[in-house]
């Protein structure tokens, strides 16, 4: 598990961006950041058929439910940062990949049966990390560095291992909460340090610097334990276990090119020859299992390459890369290059070229028997098609394309959001509102749906309902102060009638009580520790 979560450009920007973080969220971030300190950990019996269980002490200190709450609170901060890659096709691929691995080893979800979430952040630095409660992030640089799907899966398996072994809870059994309060600066530091732990140290104040620097690394025992669990998951989910060795081996080789400025993944995941030898030893007892990379893996890498840097120079560099990739003899590489060039053309407002490259990629995919399933199981192609139509202001066609796609891929959340945006662009606010209310009844904890509903009410001139929807979005994120502020604004709107006032009163009572309960739980937890 990585301990550096960079999401902003420089220190001053980071401090400004996150300066308004509430104390409660900051404390959640602090506790999430404390996962960087891991005590000596008992080893796992290699012959065990199931993942090892933990003693009662760790559950007493930090229950699985509390872990999940902490993870959700820090993710509320992460999702608001512009470097969070909020992209439908990328998120859907990572979650399909991660959940495929978890389905092979359900016990990795833990006693609380965590609903894991896998996501990407825009950062060229090679790194990955896990937050408490089953939130696993991958830097865009790491996704691009993976040369096979098994290599990418090996990193995901390793991070799942950290969560499955509850390293954060086990750390807290030997620490007291009060002793962690000086690490509050680290909560901001991990959000600010984009490419170097030095940025994290710069944000830390007083005499805490050296201690914080030491806390940026997991213990070697924790890393070996995560390797063992990750290897089991990788093996049982049908991936090539040599992917873990090849990825770690390439990382180790890269260390020769670095001194004090080693890659972030190597600093936050101490890599030793013993770890690689241990994995190789485990492979000796396993039959070789070849894994064919999915086309979606290559399409995701192409998409991430464009999304990682959408500046003029970044798009030019991506275009050069894809043009070189077109010369590859591998069909998947050629298709990914065509797909990437379609994305670049869209970003450069060359819509004719975008259509041409996208059609070429789809045509070649249809002829590739082993990979054409991606056309009916992934939103990668149709998402770009909808974006091109909307960019061309062909909103009615975009609506029709999205409706057709949702029938084929009803579980795609990215397509849901695109469909609503298309309806809004086509000024079909009534249809958008009705669709969103149906979606909200199914996905009550989706804050983005509430934000989209607020946009619908704004377009309809329904100001009170707009602020109520915004309030519900904040409430889903447990940001109670902002939620209550939105309710107060809604109460003062001229169109706030009896119904709206009743809804406001009900939400206000409910949320104040929830906020009060959480503060009481927090104080109780602090006293207990």
């Amino acid at each position: 598990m990585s301990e550096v979560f960079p999401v902003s450009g420089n220190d001053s920007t980071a401090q400004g961006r996150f300066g308004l973080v509430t104390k409660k969220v900051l404390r959640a971030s602090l506790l999430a950041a404390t996962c960087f300190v891991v005590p000596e950990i008992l080893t796992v019996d290699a012959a065990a058929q199931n993942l090892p269980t933990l003693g009662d002490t760790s559950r007493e200190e930090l229950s699985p439910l509390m872990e999940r709450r902490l993870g959700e609170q820090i993710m509320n901060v992460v999702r608001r940062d512009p470097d969070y890659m909020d992209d439908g096709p990328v998120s859907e691929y990572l979650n399909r990949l991660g959940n495929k691995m978890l389905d092979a080893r359900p016990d990795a979800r833990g006693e609380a049966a965590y609903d894991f979430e896998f996501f990407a952040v825009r950062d060229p630095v090679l790194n990955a990390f896990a937050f408490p409660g089953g939130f696993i992030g991958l830097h865009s640089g790491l996704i691009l560095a993976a040369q096979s799907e098994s290599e990418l899966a090996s990193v995901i398996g390793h991070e799942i291992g950290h969560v499955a072994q509850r390293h954060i809870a086990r750390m807290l059994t030997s620490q007291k909460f009060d002793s962690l309060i000086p690490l509050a600066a680290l909560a901001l530091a991990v959000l600010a340090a984009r490419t170097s732990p030095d940025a994290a140290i710069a944000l830390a104040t007083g005499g805490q610097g050296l201690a914080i620097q030491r806390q940026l690394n997991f213990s070697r025992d924790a890393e070996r334990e995560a390797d063992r669990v990750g290897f089991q998951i990788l093996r049982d989910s049908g991936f090539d276990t040599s992917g873990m060795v090849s990825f770690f081996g390439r990382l180790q080789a890269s260390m020769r090119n670095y001194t004090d400025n080693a890659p972030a993944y190597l600093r936050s995941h101490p890599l030793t020859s013993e770890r690689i030898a241990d994995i190789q030893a485990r492979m000796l007892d396993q039959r070789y299992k070849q894994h064919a990379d999915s086309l979606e893996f290559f399409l995701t890498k192409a998409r991430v390459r464009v999304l990682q840097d959408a500046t003029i120079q970044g798009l030019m560099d991506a275009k050069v890369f894809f043009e070189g990739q077109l010369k590859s003899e591998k069909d998947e590489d050629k298709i990914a290059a065509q797909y990437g060039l379609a994305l670049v053309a869209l970003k450069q407002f060359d819509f004719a070229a975008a259509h041409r490259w996208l059609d070429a990629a789809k045509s070649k995919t249809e002829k590739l028997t082993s990979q054409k399933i991606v056309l009916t199981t992934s939103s990668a192609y149709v998402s770009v098609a909808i974006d091109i139509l909307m960019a061309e202001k062909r909103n009615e066609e975009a609506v029709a394309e999205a409706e057709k796609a949702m029938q084929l891929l009803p579980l795609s959340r990215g397509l849901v959001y695109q469909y609503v945006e298309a309806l809004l662009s086509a000024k079909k606010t009534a249809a958008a509102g009705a669709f969103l209310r149906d979606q909200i009844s199914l996905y009550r904890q989706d804050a983005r749906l509430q934000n989209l509903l607020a946009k619908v009410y704004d377009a309809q001139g329904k100001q009170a309902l707009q602020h109520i929807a915004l309030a519900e979005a904040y409430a889903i994120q447990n940001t109670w102060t902002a939620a209550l502020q939105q309710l107060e604004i809604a109460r003062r709107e001229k169109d706030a009638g009896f119904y709206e006032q009743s809804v406001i009163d009900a939400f206000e009572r409910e949320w104040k009580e929830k906020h009060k309960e959480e503060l009481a739980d927090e104080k109780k937890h602090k006293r207990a520790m």
Side-chain angles (χ1 to χ4, degrees):
M1 179 166 65
S2 167
E3 293 71 48
V4 179
F5 180 23
V7 287
S8 60
N10 53 55
D11 296 350
S12 60
T13 301
Q15 293 181 73
R17 181 180 299 161
F18 295 102
L20 298 179
V21 177
T22 65
K23 292 182 179 179
K24 181 177 179 183
V25 174
L26 181 59
R27 176 165 291 178
S29 303
L30 157 63
L31 286 176
T34 61
C35 64
F36 314 150
V37 190
V38 180
E40 291 302 303
I41 294 174
L42 297 175
T43 58
V44 183
D45 182 2
Q49 295 300 312
N50 297 313
L51 301 183
T53 57
L54 302 173
D56 292 334
T57 307
S58 62
R59 286 194 287 269
E60 291 173 0
E61 294 289 351
L62 185 65
S63 69
L65 182 61
M66 180 62 74
E67 276 194 85
R68 182 67 179 188
R69 178 187 288 183
L70 293 177
E72 288 174 344
Q73 287 179 330
I74 194 169
M75 280 302 297
N76 289 336
V77 178
V78 171
R79 292 190 187 102
R80 292 197 292 270
D81 190 87
D83 285 332
Y84 172 73
M85 198 171 283
D86 189 11
D87 180 78
V90 171
S91 296
E92 288 165 19
Y93 169 72
L94 292 178
N95 280 279
R96 268 195 295 273
L97 179 61
N99 281 296
K100 174 185 176 181
M101 301 177 72
L102 287 164
D103 289 344
R105 293 300 297 257
D107 48 347
R109 294 185 184 273
E111 60 189 83
Y114 288 142
D115 184 11
F116 276 66
E117 180 179 335
F118 303 87
F119 61 96
V121 292
R122 188 178 292 103
D123 195 314
V125 172
L126 195 152
N127 211 352
F129 54 90
F131 286 147
F135 298 94
I136 293 176
L138 302 166
H139 285 202
S140 55
L142 184 140
I143 296 172
L144 296 178
Q147 294 183 1
S148 70
E149 200 163 30
S150 292
E151 288 191 358
L152 181 60
S154 73
V155 176
I156 292 176
H158 179 91
E159 300 301 331
I160 291 174
H162 280 303
V163 176
Q165 296 308 100
R166 300 193 64 220
H167 286 158
I168 302 168
R170 295 162 75 174
M171 176 275 298
L172 286 178
T173 61
S174 62
Q175 304 255 4
K176 294 295 183 182
F177 183 84
D178 288 345
S179 69
L180 299 178
I181 291 178
L183 294 178
L186 181 59
L188 293 180
V190 295
L191 293 168
R194 170 177 286 276
T195 58
S196 170
D198 293 340
I201 297 171
L203 280 177
T205 59
Q208 312 298 326
L210 292 178
I212 290 175
Q213 188 175 22
R214 288 194 298 269
Q215 290 157 359
L216 289 176
N217 293 331
F218 259 128
S219 73
R220 291 182 178 181
D221 282 343
E223 289 302 314
R224 284 194 294 267
E225 189 175 47
D227 286 344
R228 283 189 288 271
V229 174
F231 183 90
Q232 293 173 8
I233 296 172
L234 192 68
R235 176 198 64 201
D236 294 350
S237 53
F239 290 97
D240 179 6
T241 53
S242 66
M244 181 175 281
V245 175
S246 61
F247 189 74
F248 285 172
R250 200 159 62 251
L251 282 175
Q252 188 182 50
S254 71
M255 292 178 69
R256 302 189 188 101
N257 301 321
Y258 295 89
T259 54
D260 295 334
N261 193 29
Y265 194 89
L266 301 184
R267 286 173 292 181
S268 59
H269 299 71
L271 186 62
T272 63
S273 297
E274 288 79 7
R275 281 179 63 197
I276 295 178
D278 182 55
I279 298 169
Q280 289 174 325
R282 293 176 184 278
M283 289 177 57
L284 294 177
D285 298 330
Q286 307 295 321
R287 295 181 61 182
Y288 175 70
K289 185 182 295 184
Q290 187 175 13
H291 174 80
D293 295 331
S294 69
L295 178 58
E296 193 173 13
F297 166 70
F298 296 96
L299 296 178
T300 299
K301 287 185 63 174
R303 193 172 183 93
V304 167
R305 187 174 296 278
V306 175
L307 295 177
Q308 178 178 262
D309 185 0
T311 64
I312 294 175
Q313 185 60 50
L315 293 175
M316 290 174 61
D317 292 342
K319 184 176 182 181
V320 170
F321 176 87
F322 292 133
E323 288 173 343
Q325 193 176 18
L326 282 174
K327 300 174 185 177
S328 171
E329 296 182 0
K330 190 174 182 179
D331 288 329
E332 287 84 357
D333 283 339
K334 291 180 180 178
I335 293 172
Q338 292 168 332
Y339 181 77
L341 287 169
L343 285 167
V344 171
L346 171 60
K347 296 288 186 180
Q348 294 177 332
F349 305 103
D350 187 351
F351 305 131
H355 279 295
R356 187 170 62 253
W357 283 117
L358 184 62
D359 290 343
K362 289 175 63 178
S363 177
K364 194 169 185 62
T365 301
E366 289 170 350
K367 297 175 183 177
L368 196 60
T369 305
S370 62
Q371 298 284 15
K372 66 179 182 180
I373 190 174
V374 74
L375 294 170
T376 55
T377 58
S378 169
S379 63
Y381 286 122
V382 70
S383 177
V384 179
I386 294 170
D387 282 340
I388 296 172
L389 290 171
M390 290 183 64
E392 293 177 306
K393 306 299 182 184
R394 295 161 62 181
N395 297 316
E396 294 287 349
E397 294 176 66
V399 169
E401 187 75 16
E403 287 176 343
K404 184 171 64 175
M406 284 192 300
Q407 292 177 1
L408 185 64
L409 300 167
L411 298 180
S412 171
R413 305 307 301 151
L415 289 178
V416 165
Y417 307 137
Q418 279 188 297
Y419 177 55
V420 175
E421 294 288 2
L423 286 172
L424 286 171
S425 296
K427 302 190 184 306
K428 296 185 176 183
T429 57
F435 176 76
L436 280 170
R437 285 186 285 272
D438 287 341
Q439 285 291 308
I440 289 171
S441 68
L442 297 173
Y443 302 94
R444 295 186 179 278
Q445 295 304 306
D446 191 335
R448 186 166 176 177
L449 292 178
Q450 293 289 352
N451 283 320
L452 286 170
L453 185 59
K455 290 178 66 174
V456 170
Y457 286 139
D458 182 43
Q460 294 175 334
K462 299 177 180 179
Q463 300 304 310
L465 289 175
Q466 176 195 358
H467 290 289
I468 292 173
L470 288 173
E472 290 196 71
Y474 283 120
I476 290 170
Q477 298 169 333
N478 294 331
T479 311
W480 303 113
T481 301
L484 293 170
Q485 287 175 345
Q486 288 296 322
L487 288 183
E488 189 58 34
I489 294 173
R491 190 190 303 279
R492 295 197 300 265
E493 292 293 346
K494 295 179 180 179
D495 60 345
F498 177 78
Y499 168 77
E500 288 78 14
Q501 294 288 358
S502 299
V503 170
I504 292 169
D505 289 342
F507 279 151
E508 188 174 53
R509 287 192 299 270
E510 178 186 352
W511 295 347
K512 282 184 176 180
E513 186 61 29
K514 285 185 177 181
H515 192 196
K516 182 179 178 180
E517 289 175 0
E518 288 195 4
L519 289 175
D521 288 344
E522 190 176 301
K523 291 179 180 178
K524 181 180 178 181
H525 185 65
K526 180 178 177 180
R527 285 196 301 269
M529 297 184 68

